[in-house]
Amino acid sequence: MKFPIWIGFCLTCIPFLFCTSLPKNPTSHGCDFRFQLTTLQTSGGPKPNLQFLDNRIQVSKIIYDDLSSISEDWMRTKKNGKFGFIDLNEKEVSDFDFYFVGDFHNGYAVFRSGSNFRDPRGFVSKTGDLLGGKFYDMVYNFENGLAAVEINKKYGFIDRNGKIVVPIQYDLITGIHNGWAVFKREEHQGLINAKGEEKKFDHDKYDLRGYFYEGTIVFQHYKKMGIMDANFKVIIPPNYDYLGNFKEGLVRFKLGNKWGFLDQKGNVVIEAKFDSEYDFEEGYASVTIGGKDGIIKPNGEYLIEPTFSHISNFSEGLAVVEEGGKRGFINAKAEWVVPPTFDQLGPLKDGVFTFAIKDKWGFVNLRGCKQK
């Protein structure tokens, strides 16, 4: 027999059902999020059990010590103190012999060869092969088919065959975005592409920072930050203590201890009044004032007033919100889709999200019902 959501909550979560401050709408993307959370009696003792009324929604066992968000259909988890991967069928698809391993990007995951932070690093494929049979002092995720690697404090790019395509000779090199990466080499700095072609920037008082992103570069001048375009023309003067990258047409800035947003012409569109903030994602940004989180719109108006202990940015239409020490999902109408139930909750990514109840993790797969 299947129970409505309120009966399931009566078993474990009564306070969170009746004390939440937002309206409820347990449907999203064509999925019915009503569920029951119960306890199963097993030979190993009581175990939490989660069931959705929508039988198209897949729920894993809640048994994992750690669980990353899904990446290329695999999730990183932990067993006996080491990391490995499972797939959406909960099949162990790699050996659990990694001291550290990241998520998969472009078919490879960054991993460390030993338990010490200084141990060499490389790239492992889904078949368990070491890319190029080589380790490096440091490696970074593949982006757009290339990955930055470090040898003896010098950086370059390799491709997905392990071939060096940009010589390992740079003092700094970022990932490639929009066709270009920021580089520094001896007295030179500027932009470099996947062919190793450089656009040098000659200015001894401007220090390029961060990524080339949406056609712009952040730079620093006497401890203040500004932004220039791909031709190194200053479009936002260096008047700020910190500047992020443009996301959805806005860039976050810091003056003193407060944060706000600028538009692409450098105009202040949201005044610096927040204690912290995140970039805009899917039309909204999470902000903090006085230790409480809220969500703002691009015009600075609140979607949700800052009254919560934690709010993430939106991902696939849902944001993680914490209330009363528990976490759930809201939609862009500021309605609870999943009331605050979980001790930890990961973002919805590629139709899958991870969650923790007490110290054990599981995942929910919405791909059977999720509509775009």
Side-chain angles (χ1 to χ4, degrees), residues 12 38-49 62-63 357-360:
T12 53
T38 59
T39 299
L40 293 176
Q41 296 298 325
T42 69
S43 58
K47 302 289 185 184
N49 182 55
I62 310 172
I63 59 173
I357 298 174
K358 295 184 178 179
D359 59 348
K360 293 298 180 182

Side-chain angles (χ1 to χ4, degrees), residues 86-370:
I86 61 171
D87 63 16
L88 286 173
N89 295 316
E90 298 189 73
K91 178 183 177 181
E92 294 184 1
V93 289
S94 78
D95 294 329
F96 281 71
D97 55 6
F98 295 103
Y99 291 97
F100 166 83
V101 64
D103 295 326
F104 277 89
H105 296 269
N106 292 183
Y108 291 94
V110 169
F111 78 100
R112 192 171 64 217
S113 62
S115 59
N116 192 295
F117 180 79
R118 298 181 182 275
D119 286 332
R121 303 176 186 224
F123 298 93
V124 63
S125 70
K126 285 192 169 184
T127 58
D129 297 318
L130 174 65
L131 177 62
K134 295 180 181 179
F135 285 101
Y136 304 88
D137 297 334
M138 184 63 72
V139 295
Y140 300 88
N141 284 329
F142 273 94
E143 297 177 284
N144 302 309
L146 298 180
V149 297
E150 177 192 354
I151 298 177
N152 295 327
K153 298 183 179 180
K154 296 293 182 180
Y155 299 83
F157 281 123
I158 63 172
D159 64 17
R160 294 177 70 250
N161 294 314
K163 179 184 176 181
I164 297 174
V165 293
V166 173
I168 301 174
Q169 62 182 8
Y170 294 89
D171 299 317
L172 178 145
I173 200 166
T174 68
I176 289 183
H177 290 275
N178 308 123
W180 296 93
V182 174
F183 79 87
K184 294 181 182 180
R185 178 167 57 90
E186 298 172 346
E187 73 278 13
H188 301 297
Q189 58 181 332
L191 297 174
I192 186 170
N193 63 20
K195 297 179 181 179
E197 298 168 339
E198 297 179 358
K199 290 171 62 175
K200 293 180 180 178
F201 171 62
D202 295 320
H203 196 300
D204 60 359
K205 293 183 179 179
Y206 284 1
D207 184 22
L208 301 186
R209 295 296 182 100
Y211 289 88
F212 177 73
Y213 206 85
E214 292 193 7
T216 62
I217 318 161
V218 176
F219 69 93
Q220 184 168 319
H221 177 60
Y222 293 124
K223 297 184 178 180
K224 293 289 186 177
M225 289 188 173
I227 293 180
M228 60 181 65
D229 64 19
N231 296 315
F232 309 120
K233 178 184 176 181
V234 174
I235 56 178
I236 296 179
N239 298 326
Y240 301 94
D241 296 317
Y242 181 86
L243 283 168
N245 292 113
F246 277 102
K247 298 288 183 68
E248 301 188 2
L250 297 177
V251 60
R252 57 194 180 101
F253 72 91
K254 184 179 183 183
L255 275 178
N257 294 318
K258 298 297 181 180
W259 294 80
F261 287 90
L262 307 172
D263 66 15
Q264 292 173 322
K265 295 182 179 179
N267 299 315
V268 176
V269 294
I270 300 175
E271 64 178 295
K273 63 180 181 179
F274 304 109
D275 298 326
S276 68
E277 64 192 16
Y278 292 91
D279 294 322
F280 274 86
E281 298 282 350
E282 299 186 11
Y284 301 97
S286 175
V287 297
T288 303
I289 291 183
K292 295 295 184 179
D293 285 4
I295 292 181
I296 60 171
K297 305 174 185 179
N299 61 6
E301 294 179 357
Y302 285 112
L303 174 72
I304 298 176
E305 296 280 344
T307 58
F308 293 92
S309 54
H310 170 80
I311 299 182
S312 74
N313 272 7
F314 280 95
S315 176
E316 298 186 22
L318 299 178
V320 177
V321 178
E322 180 175 312
E323 185 176 52
K326 300 291 183 178
R327 297 189 176 193
F329 282 124
I330 64 164
N331 61 22
K333 295 181 180 179
E335 300 167 327
W336 287 111
V337 174
V338 174
T341 306
F342 304 105
D343 296 307
Q344 297 291 336
L345 184 60
L348 179 61
K349 180 183 177 186
D350 296 334
V352 178
F353 67 86
T354 60
F355 66 90
I357 298 174
K358 295 184 178 179
D359 59 348
K360 293 298 180 182
W361 287 80
F363 69 85
V364 174
N365 179 6
L366 306 176
R367 293 182 181 181
C369 61
K370 188 173 182 290

